[in-house]
Amino acid sequence: MLKIKNLFYKYPDGTVGLNKVCMEIPSERTFVILGESGSGKTTFLRCLGRFLVPQSGSISYYDEDIRKMDNKKFRQTIGIIFQRLHLFPHMTILKNMFLGPVKILKRDRKETEKEAYEMLERLGIPDLADNYPSQISGGQAQRAAIARGLMMHPKIMLLDEPTSALDLKTTNDFATWLKELKEETTFIAVTHDIPFAKRVAQHGICLDKGKISSSGDINKIASYMSTADY
Ligand SMILES: Nc1ncnc2c1ncn2[C@@H]1O[C@H](COP(=O)(O)OP(=O)(O)OP(=O)(O)O)[C@@H](O)[C@H]1O
Ligand SMILES: [Mg+2]
């Protein structure tokens, strides 16, 4: 269970990105964050991913403050995949995948390489192993980035606009694929895509100017958003 209490983040230029956000996200459930552009969605993920330090409020995972976790434990708790996937362009997908576990978790290289292969196989993309990021499609890169993130076995994975570069069919395939993975990882996905949100999740929140404007059942949030002319 991830608990967020009164999270407040103000950028150095004075823009308030998040204004006292509170929520609880149960484990083993995909959760979506909706809201119009500039409402604070990426700011929220960046705070959860420890890229930004909130001025006040708290984020805890099973009552442990995520800010106080050491790097290794944190990386095994929360993974983040940005909209620009940040796959290393000069390394094959396989190497992209085993770098984190070897460097950060100090795992054995051979063993990790084997696990990376198995992970790609399990995720249905074994043929990507020896490709470089520039040699694969947007949808494949999205999967490869998630495969790499999963190599750290995080309890929670944050996804920022995972379908923005994908066409409708790839988005639908991706939604199916994500649902199969949710048994082991809690996904928190920021998205503009309401049909995708409805396919992958039952619950979520909508942000508006850094505050939660609605929360709970995704259908309810979506109907509220359409009446608010989102
Ligand atoms: N580095 C920054 N410095 C100052 N203000 C920023 C910075 N990054 C974002 N903001 C502002 O903070 C607010 C929230 O931005 P954020 O990027 O979280 O929005 P978002 O909901 O992710 O939008 P989008 O859907 O367009 O990605 C906006 O008003 C934005 O202009
Ligand atoms: Mg954003």
Side-chain angles (χ1 to χ4, degrees), residues 14-224:
T15 308
V16 174
L18 293 174
N19 198 351
K20 307 238 167 112
V21 167
C22 297
M23 77 180 85
E24 292 186 1
I25 303 179
S27 298
E28 285 120 35
R29 179 184 276 188
T30 301
F31 191 88
V32 289
I33 300 175
L34 297 156
E36 64 185 58
S37 189
S39 58
K41 303 179 301 295
T42 296
T43 308
F44 179 66
L45 292 194
R46 289 186 157 264
C47 288
L48 295 188
R50 298 208 308 197
F51 290 93
L52 294 175
V53 180
Q55 283 83 3
S56 59
S58 64
I59 305 168
S60 58
Y61 182 69
Y62 287 100
D63 295 328
E64 182 176 359
D65 184 344
I66 65 152
R67 304 276 320 285
K68 297 196 174 125
M69 285 177 185
D70 64 35
N71 190 42
K72 185 173 167 187
K73 176 152 194 203
F74 177 70
R75 296 288 300 266
Q76 291 174 303
T77 304
I78 296 183
I80 181 162
I81 294 170
F82 291 109
Q83 188 177 345
R84 286 187 205 136
L85 304 165
H86 300 301
L87 288 164
F88 297 116
H90 55 293
M91 292 176 193
T92 62
I93 298 305
L94 195 79
K95 188 156 186 203
N96 261 283
M97 288 176 71
F98 65 71
L99 204 69
V102 169
K103 291 261 185 245
I104 296 164
L105 307 182
K106 309 283 177 223
R107 292 194 37 207
D108 176 72
R109 187 182 164 130
K110 274 251 137 30
E111 195 184 286
T112 311
E113 199 175 325
K114 187 166 165 269
E115 192 193 329
Y117 260 119
E118 285 165 4
M119 178 73 78
L120 288 174
E121 199 130 285
R122 191 161 68 84
L123 301 183
I125 44 177
D127 37 334
L128 298 190
D130 299 322
N131 283 302
Y132 286 87
S134 63
Q135 299 171 315
I136 62 178
S137 73
Q140 288 170 330
Q142 188 62 257
R143 289 169 199 219
I146 291 178
R148 180 179 65 174
L150 288 174
M151 287 293 293
M152 302 295 282
H153 297 290
K155 308 279 190 298
I156 298 167
M157 190 173 275
L158 313 174
L159 306 173
D160 199 355
E161 312 243 5
T163 61
S164 60
L166 309 183
D167 62 24
L168 189 63
K169 171 165 189 325
T170 319
T171 295
N172 287 340
D173 291 349
F174 180 65
T176 307
W177 189 79
L178 211 56
K179 277 162 91 171
E180 284 163 13
L181 292 176
K182 75 175 185 185
E183 300 305 316
E184 48 199 283
T185 307
T186 302
F187 287 97
I188 302 179
V190 160
T191 184
H192 281 286
D193 182 341
I194 293 175
F196 169 75
K198 285 185 181 175
R199 287 193 63 166
V200 296
Q202 282 179 330
H203 298 91
I205 58 160
C206 179
L207 285 174
D208 183 22
K209 300 188 187 80
K211 283 178 182 272
I212 295 181
S213 58
S214 58
S215 67
D217 185 85
I218 192 79
N219 290 306
K220 196 186 89 193
I221 298 174
S223 64
Y224 167 81

